[in-house]
Amino acid sequence: MANELAGSSSRVVATEKRVLLGATVFIAVSLGLIAYATWGLGITVPTCLPPSKGFEQASITKHQGKNYEVHFVARMWGFEPTRVRVPTGSTLDIYVMSKDVQHGFQIAGTNINLMVVPGAIVNGSVHFDKPGNYLIVCHEYCGAAHQNMNAAIEVSDHVADISAEGLPETASAGKKILEDKGCLACHSLDGNAGIGPTLKGIWGKSVELTDGSRHALNEEFLREIILHPEKNVVKGYQPLMPALPLSDEEIKQIEEYLRELK
Ligand code: CUA
């Protein structure tokens, strides 16, 4: 009886040893594979940063040499920017944030495969040593037009620096003045009728005033209208515009904006 007990307990010990050995080998192999993935294959675990203002707007930034930083914004159903062009040999630090739901961000043919979780900024780094058109796809189902959600990175020998399409329009100083001073309450920027004439395409045009005179909208006349609107009422409109005591600098910025507003 005693012998039998001793025999079975030594069998238990032998089994435990085998299990322990097996577990140790398994852990060692797992760690080895992680190390291989990290250093051997260059797969990086995406890092997550807390949300911060600098990432809420898509942007491109040049650092030293061919090092660039690109901030992508993901939203149903597209990315901003839509297309980034960089020279061959570039390294991109990529940051992605979502404006709405969870999206995916995978750059085909590279190690970048991120999960874009709302409320966080995900980050990865990628080096392009071959020219080509690298498709960016959203690989997380995010609604009806999920399959259309893509962008691209074009790596080319023929460009010297980074450029991008589909970045949000940075509001010009002139447009900001028009907004801040309340001009846009009466003057539209898109050609729609308003209390005052639309500003779209107005630069350089000949305008007829209620007194029958005609003036081309140039630097001088813009200044005249802004400072003395009561004397310069465009035909067909009411004399409602208040005089705006703007500085020369501000008028210049409005002029620059109007020139571009075609
Ligand atoms: Cu975004 Cu799918």
Side-chain angles (χ1 to χ4, degrees):
M1 186 72 176
N3 269 349
E4 241 172 65
L5 267 178
S8 77
S9 77
S10 76
R11 270 199 306 279
V12 168
V13 169
T15 310
E16 272 179 349
K17 276 183 180 163
R18 273 202 301 277
V19 169
L20 273 174
L21 181 69
T24 310
V25 168
F26 177 75
I27 290 167
V29 168
S30 301
L31 289 175
L33 284 175
I34 291 171
Y36 174 64
T38 307
W39 292 296
L41 300 178
I43 295 174
T44 47
V45 180
T47 45
C48 238
L49 307 167
S52 93
K53 280 270 173 239
F55 298 95
E56 282 178 6
Q57 198 161 51
S59 65
I60 50 174
T61 313
K62 183 179 164 58
H63 294 307
Q64 264 187 348
K66 289 182 181 174
N67 292 295
Y68 303 104
E69 189 172 315
V70 183
H71 296 182
F72 282 93
V73 169
R75 58 155 63 92
M76 291 185 265
W77 286 280
F79 295 103
E80 280 174 5
T82 50
R83 192 170 189 87
V84 177
R85 213 168 277 118
V86 290
T88 311
S90 295
T91 302
L92 271 60
D93 270 328
I94 288 174
Y95 296 84
V96 196
M97 69 93 64
S98 167
K99 288 268 182 181
D100 40 47
V101 300
Q102 185 164 316
H103 296 281
F105 185 96
Q106 180 168 30
I107 309 178
T110 73
N111 60 344
I112 294 285
N113 184 346
L114 305 170
M115 191 63 87
V116 189
V117 187
I121 291 133
V122 286
N123 154 243
S125 186
V126 59
H127 178 77
F128 292 102
D129 44 24
K130 284 194 201 88
N133 194 39
Y134 296 81
L135 193 66
I136 300 171
V137 291
C138 173
H139 57 73
E140 177 72 19
Y141 183 75
C142 55
H146 151 75
Q147 72 278 7
N148 299 335
M149 188 166 169
N150 60 63
I153 296 179
E154 189 185 324
V155 180
S156 163
D157 293 335
H158 309 294
V159 297
D161 208 351
I162 192 168
S163 64
E165 288 167 24
L167 283 175
E169 174 197 345
T170 44
S172 72
K175 186 179 182 184
K176 219 180 157 305
I177 296 166
L178 293 174
E179 278 168 0
D180 292 350
K181 300 291 176 184
C183 308
L184 304 186
C186 298
H187 300 281
S188 80
L189 298 178
D190 57 6
N192 283 329
I195 292 169
T198 182
L199 301 181
K200 185 184 166 131
I202 203 169
W203 190 260
K205 253 195 192 158
S206 169
V207 261
E208 188 176 358
L209 303 185
T210 42
D211 65 8
S213 62
R214 279 194 162 270
H215 303 262
L217 193 78
N218 55 19
E219 243 174 290
E220 209 182 316
F221 189 55
L222 175 70
R223 197 185 150 76
E224 182 62 22
I225 286 188
I226 289 174
L227 300 178
H228 307 288
E230 72 290 345
K231 291 190 219 157
N232 297 285
V233 180
V234 177
K235 197 173 178 184
Y237 293 92
Q238 297 296 311
L240 295 171
M241 179 165 155
L244 291 174
L246 297 182
S247 70
D248 287 352
E249 175 63 21
E250 288 171 313
I251 294 174
K252 188 83 198 149
Q253 286 169 336
I254 292 177
E255 178 197 327
E256 277 163 18
Y257 176 67
L258 293 183
R259 278 177 188 279
E260 298 301 312
L261 190 69
K262 300 212 173 84

